[in-house]
């Protein structure tokens, strides 16, 4: 964009003192927020391949968070002497602001999510309406508190939602889960329609539009080149270490799905006091409408042209992957070794400590913490967790014939009488899973555990 601005200055369409390099950085940061809401909605309706949906959704969420904080950091970059000159002190101050705001927003959102986790120690499940209302109000409080503290409310509520989806949602009663899901689905639908109506209204009612053809053309070219420089090199680097490669047709679809939307519009409209900011706002509006209309409308033909499978049932896809792993005799240790080391470390920590503390699931803390922590461990562990104590990292899942059989290796932990009774009751029966991390729906869970039976025989 800086090159196009220099060309505009050279041909006399722009004054040299009107548009600085920091303005180009500001425009680039706000246009970095990809918002493929339209594409993801089509993916959801067509049941596109789960891996492609996950890659695109994760990228867009991270881009939104980074673009919001980066735009604010660049906007407060203020060299003392010449605003168009590089100042090391101002640069490092902006970097510090970026890291501080991002970390503070993350901490603020996660802390409010932890507060909602504490509802597992209450009897709110007996009052579904109150439970849903408290869930919503605490989520909204994360946004308001971050804005009041000078942080970024959108980033705070983003990480609050991510944490709540992983922990708090599983603590809700069945009625509250249904009501909460319907509430946020309705608010999501309403917000999408309101923001696009507002963008259409702003396009025709804003009084200070500046339509500069060269700047608009340069912005389109820069957006597409930057998108290509983002998708293809990063996919190549990821494929160097990934066991399941990102295929070329997925990369083309991700390149095509780089829409700009509500976040770019919101960042551009916050400051329209100067001529460069007005030019950025007008250009951002045109890019948003063009990408949503053209690329959003061309999603279905592009899926067909790239031969990306649609109509994929996530449960059936999970079963197929498990069956193929069983056929190729991939044991649990092989699968675990193929996972990223950071993921293995986080999963073990999350499974052994965070889930038992924040939810009703996971192994009891009395089996994962040292013995001297037993009083606190018994206080923090939910009674229902004792029934799940055998579900540790040594569990292997085999899916076959619409049935999930879970085989346990003999556990080294010594079980108490109460724990033996709970564990053996679950081991000899069958149980329907309606909600869980695997998303297996109503598949039957058949547990086969022979060491528990041997312990009962020895007691008898």
């Amino acid at each position: 964009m800086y090159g196009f601005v220099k060309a505009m200055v050279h041909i006399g369409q722009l004054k040299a003192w009107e548009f600085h390099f920091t303005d180009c950085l500001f425009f680039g940061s706000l246009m970095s927020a990809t918002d493929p809401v339209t594409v993801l909605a089509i993916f959801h309706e067509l049941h596109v391949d789960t891996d492609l949906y996950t890659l695109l959704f994760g990228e867009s969420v991270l881009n939104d968070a980074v673009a919001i904080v980066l735009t604010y950091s660049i906007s407060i970059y203020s060299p003392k002497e010449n605003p168009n000159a590089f100042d090391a002190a101002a640069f490092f101050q902006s970097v510090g602001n970026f890291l501080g705001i991002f970390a503070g927003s993350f901490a603020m959102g996660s802390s409010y999510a932890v507060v909602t986790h504490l509802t597992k120690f209450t009897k709110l499940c007996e009052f579904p309406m109150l439970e849903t209302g408290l869930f919503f109000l605490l989520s909204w409080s994360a946004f308001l508190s971050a804005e009041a503290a000078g942080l970024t409310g959108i980033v705070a509520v983003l990480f609050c939602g991510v944490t709540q989806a992983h922990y708090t949602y599983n603590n809700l009663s069945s009625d509250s889960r249904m009501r909460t899901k319907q509430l946020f689905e309705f608010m999501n639908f309403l917000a999408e329609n309101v923001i696009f109506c507002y963008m259409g209204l702003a396009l025709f009612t804003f009084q200070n539009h500046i339509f500069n053809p060269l700047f608009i053309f340069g912005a389109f070219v820069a957006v597409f080149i930057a998108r290509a420089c983002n998708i293809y090199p990063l996919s190549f680097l990821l494929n160097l270490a990934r066991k399941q490669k990102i295929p070329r047709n997925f990369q083309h679809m991700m390149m095509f799905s780089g829409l700009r939307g509500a976040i770019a519009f919101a960042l551009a409209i916050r400051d329209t006091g100067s001529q460069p900011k007005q030019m950025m706002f007008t250009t951002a509006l045109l890019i948003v409408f063009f990408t949503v209309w053209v690329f959003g409308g061309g999603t279905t033909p592009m899926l067909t042209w790239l031969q990306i499978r649609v109509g994929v049932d996530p449960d059936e896809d999970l079963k197929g992957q498990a069956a193929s792993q069983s056929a190729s005799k991939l044991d649990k240790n092989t699968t675990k070794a193929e996972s990223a080391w950071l993921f293995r470390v986080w999963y073990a920590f999350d499974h052994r400590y965070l889930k038992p503390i924040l939810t009703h699931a996971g192994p009891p803390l009395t089996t994962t913490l040292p013995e001297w922590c037993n009083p606190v461990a018994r206080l923090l562990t939910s009674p229902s967790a004792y029934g799940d104590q055998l579900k540790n990292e040594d569990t292997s899942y085999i899916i076959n014939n619409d049935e999930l059989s879970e085989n346990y290796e003999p556990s080294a932990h010594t079980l108490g009488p109460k724990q033996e009774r709970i564990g053996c009751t679950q081991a000899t029966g069958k149980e329907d899973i309606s909600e869980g991390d695997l998303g297996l729906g109503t598949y039957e869970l058949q547990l086969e555990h022979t060491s528990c039976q041997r312990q009962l025989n020895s007691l008898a």
Side-chain angles (χ1 to χ4, degrees):
M1 286 308 303
Y2 188 65
F4 279 99
V5 168
K6 286 295 184 181
M8 293 170 61
V9 173
H10 181 71
I11 63 177
Q13 292 191 11
L14 195 66
K15 302 296 183 181
W17 50 268
E18 290 180 344
F19 215 101
H20 303 298
F21 180 67
T22 52
D23 295 323
C24 297
L25 291 178
F26 180 83
F27 181 73
S29 62
L30 69 90
M31 292 309 301
S32 297
T34 57
D35 190 20
V37 174
T38 306
V39 176
L40 292 177
I42 296 174
F43 281 7
H44 181 72
E45 292 295 328
L46 297 179
H47 299 286
V48 177
D49 192 292
T50 310
D51 291 335
L52 176 60
Y53 186 95
T54 304
L55 286 170
L56 191 60
F57 176 77
E59 182 218 0
S60 65
V61 169
L62 185 61
N63 276 355
D64 288 349
V66 173
I68 292 168
V69 183
L70 186 61
T71 303
Y72 177 74
S73 300
I74 293 176
S75 65
I76 62 176
Y77 173 80
S78 55
K80 296 180 179 179
E81 299 178 357
N82 184 5
N84 200 27
F86 176 77
D87 189 334
F91 170 76
F92 285 109
Q93 183 180 2
S94 296
V95 173
N97 289 331
F98 173 81
L99 297 177
I101 293 172
F102 197 90
S105 301
F106 170 79
M108 182 74 73
S110 301
S111 62
Y112 270 92
V114 169
V115 172
T116 58
H117 301 154
L118 301 179
T119 57
K120 83 167 195 173
F121 299 106
T122 66
K123 294 184 179 180
L124 276 176
C125 58
E126 299 177 2
F127 307 95
M129 191 68 69
L130 179 61
E131 195 175 17
T132 300
L134 185 63
F135 187 94
F136 172 78
L137 291 176
L138 286 175
S139 305
W140 190 21
S141 298
F143 176 86
L144 297 178
S145 300
E147 290 291 332
L151 304 173
T152 305
I154 297 179
V155 177
V157 80
L158 167 65
F159 287 107
C160 179
V162 169
T163 311
Q164 287 177 334
H166 188 59
Y167 298 111
T168 313
Y169 186 74
N170 296 321
N171 291 341
L172 300 177
S173 61
S174 57
D175 290 342
S176 295
R177 289 182 188 180
M178 180 183 66
R179 289 172 176 169
T180 303
K181 187 175 182 179
Q182 291 177 347
L183 172 64
F184 282 102
E185 283 181 349
F186 170 73
M187 294 184 64
N188 175 50
F189 173 79
L190 190 63
E192 288 177 6
N193 285 274
V194 168
I195 190 63
F196 279 103
C197 290
Y198 183 42
M199 281 191 281
L201 187 65
L203 181 62
F204 296 102
T205 60
F206 185 67
Q207 300 295 325
N208 299 315
H209 278 304
I210 298 179
F211 293 92
N212 191 305
L214 185 57
F215 187 83
I216 296 172
F217 174 76
F220 274 98
V221 173
V223 163
F224 293 127
I225 293 178
R227 183 67 179 171
C229 294
N230 174 41
I231 295 298
Y232 297 111
L234 289 181
S235 299
F236 172 77
L237 294 176
L238 286 173
N239 284 338
L240 295 178
R242 283 173 63 103
K243 298 297 180 181
Q244 187 176 357
K245 309 296 183 183
I246 302 176
R248 184 63 67 175
N249 58 344
F250 279 20
Q251 298 178 31
H252 296 329
M253 192 66 216
M254 293 171 66
M255 169 70 189
F256 184 82
S257 303
L259 282 66
R260 270 62 181 175
I263 299 297
F265 168 77
L267 294 175
I269 202 174
R270 292 176 67 177
D271 183 8
T272 58
S274 62
Q275 181 178 351
K277 298 297 176 61
Q278 295 167 3
M279 190 184 305
M280 293 180 200
F281 175 66
T282 302
T283 306
L285 264 180
L286 294 177
I287 292 178
V288 168
F289 281 112
F290 179 83
T291 54
V292 170
W293 289 340
V294 176
F295 294 134
T299 300
T300 303
M302 183 60 67
L303 288 172
T304 305
W305 185 63
L306 293 176
Q307 297 181 353
I308 296 176
R309 58 178 187 156
V310 297
V312 178
D313 186 354
D315 296 339
E316 294 293 334
D317 195 32
L318 178 64
K319 290 169 55 182
Q321 292 178 6
S324 63
Q325 289 182 358
S326 177
S328 59
K329 298 181 179 180
L330 290 177
D331 57 3
K332 186 261 315 175
N333 293 328
T334 303
T335 305
K336 187 176 181 180
E338 290 178 353
S339 302
W341 68 270
L342 184 60
F343 170 77
R344 296 200 304 268
V345 171
W346 165 252
Y347 177 80
F349 178 76
D350 178 59
H351 178 73
R352 294 188 177 190
Y353 304 109
L354 293 184
K355 278 194 172 181
I357 293 175
L358 301 177
T359 69
H360 298 289
L365 291 173
T366 53
T367 62
T368 57
L369 291 177
E371 293 185 0
W372 58 271
C373 296
N374 279 349
V376 178
R378 282 192 291 266
L379 177 65
L380 295 177
T381 303
S382 175
S384 61
Y386 289 100
D388 298 331
Q389 61 180 333
L390 296 175
K391 299 178 182 179
N392 51 28
E393 69 274 10
D394 294 329
T395 303
S396 58
Y397 294 92
I398 302 174
I399 305 177
N400 190 19
N401 296 329
D402 292 343
E403 188 177 79
L404 179 67
S405 299
E406 185 170 358
N407 301 319
Y408 293 113
E409 298 177 2
S411 177
H413 300 300
T414 303
L415 305 179
K418 180 179 179 181
Q419 298 172 5
E420 288 178 353
R421 183 173 68 254
I422 297 175
C424 295
T425 303
Q426 292 188 352
T428 56
K430 291 186 178 181
E431 170 183 354
D432 289 337
I433 300 179
S434 58
E435 295 288 346
D437 290 341
L438 293 177
L440 295 172
T442 56
Y443 289 112
E444 294 182 346
L445 178 66
Q446 183 178 359
L447 307 179
E448 300 174 1
H449 190 264
T450 56
S451 62
C452 187
Q453 185 64 34
R454 288 198 298 270
Q455 290 176 3
L456 285 180
N457 293 337
S458 63
L459 290 175

